[in-house]
C-alpha cells in the first residue's frame, strides 16, 4: 500500500475519531430552573384571513397562566396504556401517566407522567374552546369554565364522557371525549343555538407547557414544537422559541402557519409527544406561541369559523395524541387514521433514508427473535451481507496490493528521491495488475453513515428504551453498567456515577471487548512502516474503547459484532488469495521493544582533522 493510500485511510479514520469525539466535547447542557409563572394581559393576534378567529384564543395559557391550581371535580381516565384524569374546570386533559413505562429500570419506580395540571412543578395540558368572530359578543367557555358531567363516569375505550355548559344566553356547549386503546383521544365540540340570532364562532384547541421542559439537551435530538403543514415538517426547538417574532398586539412571540388541507401541531420530547390533530382535509391556523414573562410554551390549532343559525347545532372534531412514540402505534395512526407524515414525528435525523429502513428491519427482527440485543447482532450480520460484494472487491484489492508489496519496494529503491517517477511507476503497476488503491477506504466510508444511522435509531426510538439483552445488560439504550474499577462487581463497592470524572475510565465489559476486537482486526496485517502511522494505528483501538465507553450498549454491541465479522471476512479472503496472515507474529511484533538506533558508522561520521 503506497503512502498516498495510507494517508487517505488515515485521514478517513481520523475524521471518524473527530466526529465521535464531538459527542464527548459537547455534553448535554444543564437546564436552568424555571421562573415562576406570571399573569399577562389578554391581547389579540393579527387577523389571518377569512373564516378564522381574529382574536387570540380566549383564556389561553399565555393569558391566564395561574400559578395555583383551582379545585374542580375530575373524571378518571383508564385505558390499557394510560391512567389519569381530566378536569371539569376547562374540560382539560391535564393528568396522564403511561402504564407501560417506568421512570427507571426498577419496576417499582413511578410511572412516566406525561401531562400535569396547573399547580404541579411542570404544568402540561390540552384545552379546547370557542373563539368569537366578527361582532359576536356572548359568554363562551374558557379554560377556567366549570363544566357539568352530562353522561359517562370513567373515560375508557368503551365508555366516552360528555360534558356540557350553558352560557345562560341561549348557547349550550357540549364536549364529547373518547379514547382508543392506545394514545389517541377524540374531542367533539358542539354548540346548540337556542336564540333567534345567528352566531359565528371558531373552534380551537391548544397544548401548553409552563416553564422550560426537562430535555435531554443533546444536539442530535430535536425536542420542542413539531408540526406538519400540508406535507412539510417543521421543528422548532424549545431554545429557539424565545427568538420568535414578537406579536404586533402583545400576545408574546408567535409563529403562524396556515394549513390548507392536512396537518398537526404539538410538542415532542425524546420518547413522548402531545399533538393536536384536526380532521384530515380541514384547513386550520397553526400557531406557535411563547411568553417571555411567564415562560409558557404553547401550540394552537384554530379551525375555520362556523355560523350557527337559530335553532341549529354546529360541531367540530379534533384529535389529541398523548403518549409514547411507539412505531407501530404512530404508523397505524398514519396509515389507518389518515394522519399525513405522522411517523416523521420521530426524529430520524439527516440520514432518514437509512435510519427508517434500519429501524424497520431491527423492529422486525426483534419481533421475530424476541430479544433486542440479538436483533442488533442479526441486523449487523444482514448489513454486512448486503455490503459484502463491495467489501469483497475492496478486500481483494487490498490483498493484491499486499502481493505487490515486493515490487513496490523495488520501485521505491529504483526511484530513490524522485517522487514523480515513483508515482508514475506505481500507477503503471496498479493498472497492469488491475488494482484500485482507493478501494481499501470503501468499507470505512460505508461504515460511517451506517454507524450514525444506527446510533440515531438506538438513541431516539422508544423500542430500545429499557430493552434488555442478557445478564447485566438490562438497557441497550444506556451505557454498559459494569466497571473495571470494581472488577465488574466482584469488589464490594459500586461503579462511579456516570456524571463523575471517573466514569471516563470506568470501562465496562462491552467497551473492553470493543477495543480488543479492533486490536485483533489490526493484527491481520503487519504494522505500517511509517512511525507516525504506526503510532496512530497502535493507539486507535484503545482511544475508541474509551470514547465509546459511555455510548449506548446496543451501539457498542453492533460495533463489536461488526468487527468480528469483518475480521472473519478479511481473514478468509486473504487466505483464498494465497496470503497467510501471521496474526500471532504481528501480535508478538507489537510487544517487542523498539531497538535503539545504531551508532553512526565511523565512515559516515566526519572525523576530526589530524594534527
Amino acid at each position: 500500500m503506497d503512502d498516498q493510500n495510507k494517508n487517505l485511510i488515515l485521514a478517513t479514520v481520523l475524521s471518524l475519531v473527530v466526529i465521535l469525539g464531538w459527542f464527548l466535547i459537547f455534553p448535554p447542557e444543564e437546564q436552568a430552573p424555571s421562573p415562576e409563572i406570571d399573569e399577562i394581559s389578554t391581547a389579540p393576534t393579527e387577523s389571518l384571513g377569512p373564516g378564522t378567529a381574529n382574536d387570540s384564543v380566549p383564556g389561553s395559557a399565555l393569558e391566564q397562566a395561574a400559578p395555583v391550581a383551582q379545585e374542580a371535580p375530575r373524571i378518571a381516565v383508564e385505558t390499557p396504556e394510560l391512567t389519569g384524569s381530566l378536569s371539569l374546570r376547562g374540560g382539560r386533559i391535564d393528568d396522564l401517566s403511561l402504564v407501560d413505562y417506568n421512570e427507571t429500570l426498577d419496576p417499582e419506580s413511578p410511572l412516566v407522567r406525561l401531562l400535569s395540571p396547573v399547580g404541579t412543578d411542570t404544568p402540561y395540558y390540552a384545552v379546547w374552546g370557542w373563539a368569537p368572530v366578527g361582532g359576536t359578543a356572548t359568554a363562551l367557555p374558557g379554560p377556567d369554565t366549570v363544566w357539568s358531567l352530562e353522561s359517562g363516569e370513567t373515560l375508557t375505550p368503551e365508555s366516552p364522557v360528555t360534558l356540557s355548559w350553558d352560557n345562560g344566553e341561549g348557547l349550550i356547549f357540549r364536549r364529547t371525549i373518547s379514547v382508543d386503546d392506545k394514545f389517541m383521544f377524540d374531542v367533539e365540540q358542539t354548540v346548540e343555538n337556542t336564540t333567534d340570532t345567528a352566531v359565528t364562532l371558531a373552534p380551537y384547541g391548544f397544548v401548553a407547557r409552563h416553564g422550560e421542559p426537562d430535555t435531554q439537551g443533546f444536539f442530535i435530538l430535536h425536542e420542542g414544537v413539531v408540526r406538519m403543514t400540508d406535507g412539510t415538517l417543521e421543528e422548532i426547538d424549545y431554545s429557539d422559541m424565545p427568538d420568535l417574532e414578537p406579536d404586533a398586539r402583545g400576545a408574546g412571540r408567535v409563529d403562524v402557519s396556515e394549513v390548507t388541507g392536512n396537518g398537526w401541531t404539538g410538542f415532542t420530547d425524546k420518547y413522548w409527544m402531545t399533538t393536536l390533530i384536526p380532521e384530515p382535509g380541514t384547513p386550520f391556523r397553526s400557531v406557535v406561541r411563547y411568553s417571555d414573562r411567564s415562560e409558557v410554551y404553547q401550540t394552537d390549532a384554530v379551525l375555520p369559523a362556523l355560523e350557527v343559525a337559530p335553532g341549529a347545532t354546529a360541531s367540530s372534531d379534533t384529535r389529541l395524541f398523548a403518549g409514547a412514540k411507539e412505531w407501530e402505534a404512530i404508523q397505524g395512526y398514519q396509515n389507518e387514521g389518515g394522519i399525513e407524515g405522522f411517523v416523521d414525528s420521530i426524529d430520524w435525523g439527516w440520514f432518514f433514508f437509512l435510519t427508517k429502513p434500519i429501524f424497520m428491519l431491527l423492529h422486525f427482527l426483534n419481533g421475530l427473535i424476541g430479544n433486542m440485543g440479538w436483533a442488533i447482532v442479526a441486523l449487523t450480520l444482514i448489513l454486512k451481507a448486503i455490503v459484502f460484494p463491495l467489501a469483497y472487491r475492496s478486500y481483494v484489492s487490498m490483498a493484491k496490493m499486499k502481493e505487490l508489496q515486493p515490487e513496490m519496494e523495488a520501485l521505491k529503491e529504483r526511484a530513490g528521491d524522485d517522487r514523480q517517477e515513483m508515482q508514475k511507476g506505481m500507477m503503471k503497476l496498479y493498472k497492469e495488475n488491475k488494482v484500485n488503491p482507493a478501494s481499501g477506504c470503501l468499507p470505512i466510508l460505508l461504515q460511517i453513515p451506517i454507524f450514525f444511522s444506527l446510533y440515531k435509531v438506538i438513541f431516539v426510538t422508544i423500542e430500545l428504551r429499557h430493552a434488555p439483552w442478557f445478564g447485566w445488560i438490562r438497557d441497550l439504550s444506556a451505557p454498559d453498567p459494569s466497571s473495571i474499577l470494581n472488577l465488574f462487581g466482584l469488589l464490594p463497592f459500586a461503579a462511579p456515577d456516570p456524571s463523575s470524572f471517573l466514569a471516563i475510565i470506568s470501562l465496562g465489559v462491552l467497551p473492553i471487548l470493543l477495543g480488543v476486537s479492533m486490536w485483533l482486526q489490526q493484527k491481520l496485517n503487519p504494522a505500517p512502516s511509517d512511525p507516525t502511522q504506526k503510532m496512530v494505528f497502535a493507539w486507535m483501538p484503545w482511544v475508541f474503547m474509551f470514547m465509546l465507553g459511555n455510548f449506548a450498549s446496543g451501539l457498542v454491541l453492533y460495533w463489536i459484532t461488526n468487527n468480528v465479522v469483518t475480521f472473519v471476512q478479511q481473514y478468509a479472503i486473504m487466505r483464498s488469495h494465497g496470503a497467510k496472515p501471521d496474526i500471532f507474529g504481528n501480535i508478538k511484533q507489537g510487544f517487542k521493544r523498539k531497538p535503539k538506533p545504531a551508532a553512526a558508522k565511523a565512515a559516515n561520521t566526519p572525523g576530526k582533522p589530524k594534527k
Side-chain angles (χ1 to χ4, degrees):
M1 187 181 298
D2 61 277
D3 292 339
Q4 193 173 32
N5 194 36
K6 287 181 179 178
N7 291 336
L8 181 58
I9 295 178
L10 182 59
T12 304
V13 174
L14 291 178
S15 297
L16 180 58
V17 172
V18 171
I19 294 172
L20 293 176
W22 188 274
F23 298 116
L24 299 179
I25 297 173
F26 296 96
E29 298 179 358
E30 295 184 1
Q31 302 295 330
S34 301
E36 294 185 1
I37 307 301
D38 299 322
E39 292 187 359
I40 67 173
S41 60
T42 301
T45 60
E46 59 181 321
S47 176
L48 297 168
T52 57
N54 290 338
D55 295 335
S56 62
V57 173
S60 71
L62 291 176
E63 300 164 6
Q64 59 83 43
V68 179
Q70 296 174 305
E71 295 296 329
R74 287 190 166 271
I75 306 299
V77 178
E78 295 295 337
T79 80
E81 301 285 348
L82 299 170
T83 183
S85 62
L86 62 89
S87 175
L88 290 184
R89 184 172 296 278
R92 63 179 69 188
I93 299 177
D94 63 355
D95 175 25
L96 288 179
S97 296
L98 306 176
V99 173
D100 291 336
Y101 297 96
N102 297 86
E103 292 183 358
T104 68
L105 283 170
D106 185 357
E108 300 301 321
S109 64
L111 297 177
V112 171
R113 189 170 188 178
L114 179 63
L115 301 183
S116 303
V118 173
T120 60
D121 293 336
T122 57
Y124 185 16
Y125 49 87
V127 177
W128 293 262
W130 297 86
V133 176
T136 300
T138 185
L140 299 174
D144 287 328
T145 300
V146 178
W147 293 68
S148 299
L149 179 62
E150 187 173 278
S151 65
E153 296 181 355
T154 300
L155 179 58
T156 70
E158 294 77 27
S159 58
V161 297
T162 299
L163 315 179
S164 64
W165 181 73
D166 190 331
N167 74 346
E169 301 175 9
L171 297 181
I172 301 173
F173 297 88
R174 289 182 176 85
R175 186 174 300 165
T176 300
I177 305 174
S178 56
V179 64
D180 64 10
D181 58 356
K182 297 297 289 184
F183 308 112
M184 189 69 76
F185 294 83
D186 186 274
V187 180
E188 182 186 19
Q189 298 190 89
T190 63
V191 53
E192 180 184 356
N193 184 5
T194 64
T195 70
D196 55 4
T197 305
V199 295
T200 304
L201 305 173
Y204 70 84
F206 70 80
V207 176
R209 302 191 78 159
H210 293 204
E212 187 172 354
D214 183 16
T215 64
Q216 295 282 319
F218 213 38
F219 74 97
I220 70 164
L221 173 68
H222 168 68
E223 293 174 287
V225 173
V226 59
R227 61 179 177 178
M228 182 68 69
T229 304
D230 296 320
T232 301
L233 183 71
E234 183 180 3
E235 298 174 335
I236 305 175
D237 292 340
Y238 289 116
S239 58
D240 293 332
M241 292 181 69
D243 298 327
L244 297 176
E245 292 295 325
D247 181 68
R249 303 187 185 185
R253 298 177 178 273
V254 299
D255 183 87
V256 181
S257 179
E258 290 289 347
V259 181
T260 61
N262 293 281
W264 39 269
T265 182
F267 293 107
T268 180
D269 297 327
K270 181 176 182 179
Y271 296 125
W272 333 111
M273 182 171 63
T274 306
T275 309
L276 287 169
I277 310 158
E279 281 297 295
T282 303
F284 69 96
R285 182 177 56 186
S286 176
V287 185
V288 175
R289 303 177 184 269
Y290 174 75
S291 168
D292 295 305
R293 291 179 55 189
S294 60
E295 199 178 1
V296 173
Y297 303 80
Q298 183 172 315
T299 61
D300 304 344
V302 184
L303 281 72
L306 301 174
E307 183 176 343
V308 191
T313 299
S315 65
S316 175
D317 195 81
T318 306
R319 285 178 286 179
L320 172 74
F321 177 92
K325 294 192 290 186
E326 296 176 356
W327 164 262
E328 290 188 353
I330 291 179
Q331 186 185 41
Y333 291 131
Q334 174 177 292
N335 297 341
E336 300 170 15
I339 306 176
E340 182 181 7
F342 207 42
V343 294
D344 291 332
S345 60
I346 300 173
D347 185 11
W348 300 110
W350 293 344
F351 294 107
F352 63 90
F353 52 88
L354 287 176
T355 309
K356 281 186 180 181
I358 285 177
F359 171 75
M360 293 171 65
L361 179 56
L362 180 62
H363 186 69
F364 170 77
L365 292 171
N366 182 46
L368 190 66
I369 300 172
N371 182 286
M372 188 60 80
W374 294 118
I376 291 175
V377 173
L379 173 69
T380 309
L381 296 176
I382 292 173
L383 291 176
K384 293 296 288 185
I386 292 174
V387 301
F388 179 73
L390 188 59
Y392 178 81
R393 289 195 293 269
S394 173
Y395 298 148
V396 168
S397 181
M398 292 172 65
K400 288 182 178 179
M401 291 187 67
K402 187 173 181 63
E403 295 173 5
L404 296 177
Q405 194 69 30
E407 296 183 50
M408 287 192 288
E409 292 295 333
L411 179 61
K412 289 181 181 180
E413 291 182 6
R414 291 196 305 269
D417 295 333
D418 191 345
R419 297 188 63 85
Q420 185 175 2
E421 182 66 24
M422 185 178 67
Q423 291 292 339
K424 288 181 180 179
M426 284 188 173
M427 293 304 296
K428 181 180 179 181
L429 194 62
Y430 294 150
K431 187 175 181 180
E432 291 175 350
N433 291 273
K434 298 180 180 180
V435 173
N436 182 3
S439 62
C441 300
L442 290 177
I444 299 175
L445 296 177
L446 284 173
Q447 186 66 21
I448 293 175
I450 293 175
F451 171 83
F452 278 109
S453 297
L454 189 61
Y455 175 82
K456 189 76 171 181
V457 166
I458 293 174
F459 188 74
V460 306
T461 56
I462 196 169
E463 285 75 8
L464 270 295
R465 181 183 187 266
H466 294 177
W469 182 26
F470 75 89
W472 74 101
I473 304 296
R474 300 172 58 201
D475 184 1
L476 287 164
S477 68
D480 186 336
S482 61
S483 173
I484 195 173
L485 297 183
N486 64 1
L487 294 183
F488 313 110
L490 295 178
L491 298 180
F493 54 83
D497 186 87
S499 61
S500 70
F501 175 77
L502 288 177
I504 299 176
I505 60 174
S506 178
L507 295 174
V509 175
L510 288 182
I512 293 175
L513 290 177
L514 170 66
V516 172
S517 66
M518 292 186 69
W519 176 72
L520 284 175
Q521 188 178 342
Q522 284 187 355
K523 298 308 173 183
L524 285 170
N525 296 291
S529 57
D530 181 79
T532 303
Q533 292 183 10
K534 182 177 180 180
M535 180 186 67
V536 170
F537 277 89
W539 280 100
M540 191 170 62
W542 317 119
V543 171
F544 268 74
M545 181 178 68
F546 282 99
M547 286 180 58
L548 297 179
N550 288 317
F551 273 49
S553 300
L555 192 69
V556 180
L557 174 61
Y558 159 78
W559 199 284
I560 293 171
T561 307
N562 181 77
N563 287 346
V564 172
V565 175
T566 301
F567 178 91
V568 173
Q569 287 179 344
Q570 287 183 323
Y571 183 87
I573 292 172
M574 292 173 73
R575 289 299 301 264
S576 68
H577 283 76
K580 296 182 179 180
D582 187 11
I583 298 175
F584 294 105
N586 293 335
I587 291 175
K588 288 192 292 184
Q589 185 67 27
F591 284 104
K592 287 183 179 180
R593 297 183 63 181
K594 184 178 179 181
K596 295 181 179 180
K601 294 182 180 180
N604 296 329
T605 303
K608 294 183 180 180
K610 294 182 181 181
K611 292 183 180 180

